[in-house]
Amino acid sequence: MSEQLAKQAAPPPPEGEEQVDRSREFMQRLMTGTPMLSVLAVVASLVLGALLIAFTDERVAKTAGYFFARPTDMLQALWDSVAGAYTAMFQGSILNINRIDTLQQALTPVSNTFYYAAPLIIAGLGVAIAFKVGLFNIGGQGQMLVGAAVAGWIGFSVEMPPIIHVTVALIAGIGAAAIWGGIVGLLKARTGAHEVILTIMLNYVAYWALVYALRSPDLLRNPDNNNPITPGMLETAILNPLPGFKVHAGFLIALAVVVLYWWFIERSSLGFQFRTVGLNPAAAKMAGMNVGLITTLAMLFAGAFMGLAGGIQVTGQVTTGFTSHIDAGIGFDAITVALLGRSSPWGTLIAGILFGALKAGGYNMAAAEGVPIDLVLVLQSFIVLFIAAPALVKTIFFLPKGGRK
Amino acid sequence: MTLELKGITKRFGTFTANDRINLKIEAGEIHCLLGENGAGKSTMMNVLYGLYQAEEGEILIDGKPQRFQGPGDAMRAGIGMVHQHFMLIPVFTVAENVLLGHERELGGLKGARKAVVELSKRFGFDIDPDALVQDLPVGVQQRVEIIKALSLDARVLVFDEPTAVLTPQETDELMNVMRQLRDDGTAIVFITHKLREVREVADRITVIRLGKIVGSAEPTASSNELASLMVGRDVSLTVDKDDAKFTDKKLEVTVLTVLDRIGQKVVNDVSFEVRGGEVLCIAGVQGNGQTELTEAIIGLEKPASGSISLSGRRLTGKSVREVLDSGVGFVPEDRKVDGLVSEFSVSENIMLDRYKGAPFVKAGTIDFATRNEFAEQAKTDYDVRAQSIHSPAGSLSGGNQQKVVLARELGRKLELFVASQPTRGLDVGSIEFVHKQIIATRDTGIPVVVVSTELDEVIGLADRIAVMYRGGIVGIVPADTDREDLGLMMAGEMPEHLKAAAEEAAA
Ligand SMILES: Nc1ncnc2c1ncn2[C@@H]1O[C@H](COP(=O)(O)OP(=O)(O)OP(=O)(O)O)[C@@H](O)[C@H]1O
Ligand SMILES: [Mg+2]
């Protein structure tokens, strides 16, 4: 009897499977929160950011010394510092009512937001599409660097007619980064290696390879310059800014890519397979889907988005030659963008614009109020924190936590 | 002690899962809850256990109103629950699992170990407090759950479909334990869809339908009476079918061997043939190779040797996609894990394995109109109780989830139909429906293979029965074979007097 019973015992789960399930579950929780939660996370971060501004402000510190004698002084200083910083941020990113004499002046802040948002949105989709398949793409930096290097090289060294030149450069960047990302997917599908480790390692490989290439005049370095920087892009390989503004066609490309992503995820057959594999790989296998292929494709597409973001960096954002920091941290910001946008097309678009606004506003705030631009980084970090801990946000805002299923 | 639910109403959005429920649970009684899939039994128990907060009504213990914010409160008030899906940590020992969450109450690992030993002795369980849970059979794991509840002095124990995963012997043993608990003064709530079990142990039966209590029944009531009370109409508990009309189509499995990860033979030299127009049921105790056999047919498992062919075409060596495309419909054993994506809507699940080409995909794009039309039709045809085709499959009750899987698999032209445990966890009405569908599929002239551990189901559906034991087929016998004999075969013994009949049936 007991022998017979023992035989029926469920076979112990193979090693590691438990772990994978746990991280998959966590990722799904990250992705399935409501938009409301995203908004609240941003609000909570702004509040914390306000505290940070206030308590690092010199005037606040000074007035705090005689708080009990004249408390209003400190409260006034508190208010000034926070309101000043956030107003400057708003003026730098949305609208500055003191400067609306001409249409160009009025539109400048928004156009700056869009300018910074373009690569963020595209890179955000590069993380989002991997999320949809249950993969964590930490390799945005490496993929962007590869994309930027290839697009940039075509941009400064090959001569082509206008428009075609930019297009070819961007497509080449996309292709190179897609391969860079696809390697990760292939390794994961074939050997089971974890994509987080692979992408992080490939970040280093891409970075140091680029550093090496930037040292050699035969490769990327500008022969006329001793610093590790490339020549400037040829005129034909530049996404020209709108006259009087910084913003260029990159933003339109970003919008188009969002629509493409929407169609792909929501409407296409392949996107359906992506989502199935992300939510339930066992059911996907049973339904005849090729989970390994989907994994590979997901990382390939993720790399493609990152490559486009990298291409935009060199053809639109920094056209005077680039260094090994051309990714500008966007590969990592993209993770936050995708998380905040819950990997949905419109969510990622909005999150990308918000982060663009933070950047545009951040520079203005630093210039006008002397609050370090690093505050923007802090805000972004708080946002990730709050999104990763929905229960915390719900507690802060007195929302019901809801029954566990 | 007396536990009372008074006017409990629980809503999910606009949907009322429990509608003014009044229920009294007394010490020393086994109280059975009967009801269709989706009637709201589990919801009610989750309210009682503090997992859900009711919108209206109250819970009284000995007349005193209780406020449960979570299971912790319910446990402190003496309510324990044995879940269908065990909540044990596989890599912990029995004692550690019992301790988990109640470190203080039990007084550390020592206390927990003592509690396990004492309770085991009291109920005649043979449980080693230091055994790892992952090494224990399902039936014993369930006892660990019971001990965990009792170690906190649970005076009300809720069992939500505890027998769905048990063998007949384990079920009998569980019912003995429930009787013993009852005699010791514990109040027991027992949810099951198996009427035999209800009639055997219930002291009181409450029937719930569409979220409302619709009446009670005596344990002496017949299965038919209970069934019609539950479903609200007469239910046929036997399968009506004509004699099989054979066609030329044929599934042939020839000396098939499948190895598991560590190289043991889980399917061992299995050969059989299923002709078009007949149902071959594969009986046997869970875990004797049935799962691997069906997975080999569908292409998920690569057989080590042997072949499978369908009407002359080889299936072995093909991918799952190719097997499905050659017209094989498949209902997997564990619908929640393999058959459905619970986050997906009903209509997305309807196209789960038809994501390429017509009718749902045109030029790489999903044709929402066609798909939703198909899903609506399936919802009507199969009587899927869901708020809409856009509701997530995970919010459906078990029976309705199974209907979605069936609607998908039977919704296209098939050459072979394979169903694993097609009625596990389903209510009698849904079982009747599923059985009808399976027979109707058989009558279209294709071979049908049904794997089931329920003897009643096997006998009802089969034209022939193959019994599996330790990966091999003990014998293939006619459908009218005696239960006792089938029981023997399930333990690996081939009765002498059946050998002649078996040879004939196998031919
Ligand atoms: N979290 C939820 N969200 C929305 N609807 C739900 C949720 N949980 C249950 N329901 C709905 O409530 C109804 C009752 O479900 P419940 O699980 O209580 O049924 P049940 O009687 O236990 O059925 P079964 O016998 O299949 O287990 C079902 O129609 C189900 O779709
Ligand atoms: Mg239930």
Side-chain angles (χ1 to χ4, degrees), chain A residues 3 7 267 269 275 280 287-288, chain B residues 288 337 348 355 364 366 470:
Chain A
E3 186 204 323
K7 213 166 59 60
R267 298 281 148 139
S269 158
R275 285 186 293 140
N280 187 341
Chain B
N288 276 293
V337 175
E348 280 174 312
Y355 50 82
I366 301 169
R470 298 204 167 166

Side-chain angles (χ1 to χ4, degrees), chain B residues 227-300:
Chain B
S228 58
L229 197 56
M230 228 167 105
V231 183
R233 62 176 164 88
D234 279 335
V235 178
S236 151
L237 295 176
T238 52
V239 185
D240 300 321
K241 62 175 204 280
D242 300 327
D243 285 341
K245 287 191 200 63
F246 297 124
T247 63
D248 295 339
K249 295 175 180 169
K250 194 158 56 172
L251 171 73
E252 280 169 296
V253 175
T254 328
V255 285
L256 189 78
T257 297
V258 178
L259 305 179
D260 67 4
R261 259 179 253 256
I262 49 172
Q264 279 178 331
K265 290 186 177 176
V266 275
V267 175
N268 194 354
D269 280 351
V270 166
S271 298
F272 61 86
E273 221 184 85
V274 192
R275 295 173 64 182
E278 73 161 340
V279 176
L280 177 79
C281 275
I282 297 180
V285 174
Q286 176 92 46
N288 276 293
Q290 302 98 315
T291 313
E292 291 81 2
L293 173 63
T294 52
E295 288 185 350
I297 295 178
I298 197 73
L300 268 178

Side-chain angles (χ1 to χ4, degrees), chain B residues 12 15 17 36-43 52 161 193 395-398:
Chain B
F12 294 109
F15 176 78
E36 287 177 279
N37 293 122
K41 304 177 296 291
S42 299
T43 304
Y52 289 154
E161 295 192 41
H193 288 294
S395 74
L396 270 55
S397 75

Side-chain angles (χ1 to χ4, degrees), chain B residues 184-235:
Chain B
D184 285 0
T186 309
I188 291 186
V189 181
F190 179 31
I191 301 179
T192 180
H193 288 294
K194 299 182 188 166
L195 300 176
R196 179 180 74 86
E197 293 165 7
V198 176
R199 291 170 52 222
E200 207 165 296
V201 294
D203 295 309
R204 193 194 286 261
I205 300 172
T206 298
V207 180
I208 146 168
R209 193 191 314 149
L210 299 175
K212 288 200 186 73
I213 299 229
V214 291
S216 56
E218 292 301 316
T220 51
S222 75
S223 287
N224 275 316
E225 283 166 359
L226 290 177
S228 58
L229 197 56
M230 228 167 105
V231 183
R233 62 176 164 88
D234 279 335
V235 178

Side-chain angles (χ1 to χ4, degrees), chain B residues 59 74 143 245 247 288-289 350 361 485:
Chain B
I59 299 169
R143 289 177 183 183
K245 287 191 200 63
T247 63
N288 276 293
I350 282 278
V361 175
D485 289 335

Side-chain angles (χ1 to χ4, degrees), chain B residues 57-352:
Chain B
E58 53 183 358
I59 299 169
L60 307 171
I61 292 182
D62 292 329
K64 281 196 289 290
Q66 307 285 322
R67 285 233 117 258
F68 296 156
Q69 296 292 341
D73 293 344
M75 283 185 236
R76 269 186 287 282
I79 298 171
M81 186 134 155
V82 177
H83 299 270
Q84 183 178 338
H85 296 282
F86 305 138
M87 310 275 184
L88 299 174
I89 311 236
V91 295
F92 276 14
T93 66
V94 171
E96 284 165 347
N97 265 293
V98 168
L99 184 66
L100 190 69
H102 314 288
E103 293 75 6
R104 207 157 313 147
E105 291 94 323
L106 290 177
L109 196 55
K110 224 193 218 159
R113 197 179 281 124
K114 207 171 96 206
V116 174
V117 173
E118 271 172 15
L119 288 164
S120 300
K121 200 145 82 198
R122 210 170 102 205
F123 293 99
F125 296 167
D126 176 24
I127 293 182
D128 172 9
D130 298 316
L132 289 184
V133 162
Q134 64 188 16
D135 298 335
L136 300 176
V138 180
V140 178
Q141 291 190 15
Q142 192 167 51
R143 289 177 183 183
V144 176
E145 288 257 6
I146 297 174
I147 286 184
K148 185 168 164 114
L150 291 177
S151 70
L152 298 167
D153 295 321
R155 285 164 303 153
V156 179
L157 257 188
V158 178
F159 291 87
D160 193 351
E161 295 192 41
T163 59
V165 288
L166 300 188
T167 65
Q169 293 103 310
E170 285 174 324
T171 303
D172 287 341
E173 284 163 28
L174 174 69
M175 289 200 279
N176 279 333
V177 171
M178 291 201 298
R179 287 197 197 95
Q180 207 177 338
L181 284 166
R182 169 195 64 195
D183 296 342
D184 285 0
T186 309
I188 291 186
V189 181
F190 179 31
I191 301 179
T192 180
H193 288 294
K194 299 182 188 166
L195 300 176
R196 179 180 74 86
E197 293 165 7
V198 176
R199 291 170 52 222
E200 207 165 296
V201 294
D203 295 309
R204 193 194 286 261
I205 300 172
T206 298
V207 180
I208 146 168
R209 193 191 314 149
L210 299 175
K212 288 200 186 73
I213 299 229
V214 291
S216 56
E218 292 301 316
T220 51
S222 75
S223 287
N224 275 316
E225 283 166 359
L226 290 177
S228 58
L229 197 56
M230 228 167 105
V231 183
R233 62 176 164 88
D234 279 335
V235 178
S236 151
L237 295 176
T238 52
V239 185
D240 300 321
K241 62 175 204 280
D242 300 327
D243 285 341
K245 287 191 200 63
F246 297 124
T247 63
D248 295 339
K249 295 175 180 169
K250 194 158 56 172
L251 171 73
E252 280 169 296
V253 175
T254 328
V255 285
L256 189 78
T257 297
V258 178
L259 305 179
D260 67 4
R261 259 179 253 256
I262 49 172
Q264 279 178 331
K265 290 186 177 176
V266 275
V267 175
N268 194 354
D269 280 351
V270 166
S271 298
F272 61 86
E273 221 184 85
V274 192
R275 295 173 64 182
E278 73 161 340
V279 176
L280 177 79
C281 275
I282 297 180
V285 174
Q286 176 92 46
N288 276 293
Q290 302 98 315
T291 313
E292 291 81 2
L293 173 63
T294 52
E295 288 185 350
I297 295 178
I298 197 73
L300 268 178
E301 287 269 3
K302 296 282 163 258
S305 64
S307 78
I308 303 166
S309 67
L310 178 59
S311 307
R313 274 171 303 143
R314 248 179 106 87
L315 292 186
T316 19
K318 287 195 176 164
S319 70
V320 180
R321 186 67 259 156
E322 288 165 330
V323 172
L324 290 174
D325 286 342
S326 53
V328 179
F330 184 62
V331 176
E333 173 179 313
D334 193 339
R335 59 179 161 265
K336 277 213 163 102
V337 175
D338 298 320
L340 291 169
V341 177
S342 39
E343 293 86 351
F344 274 2
S345 70
V346 171
S347 59
E348 280 174 312
N349 273 295
I350 282 278
M351 65 169 286
L352 199 64

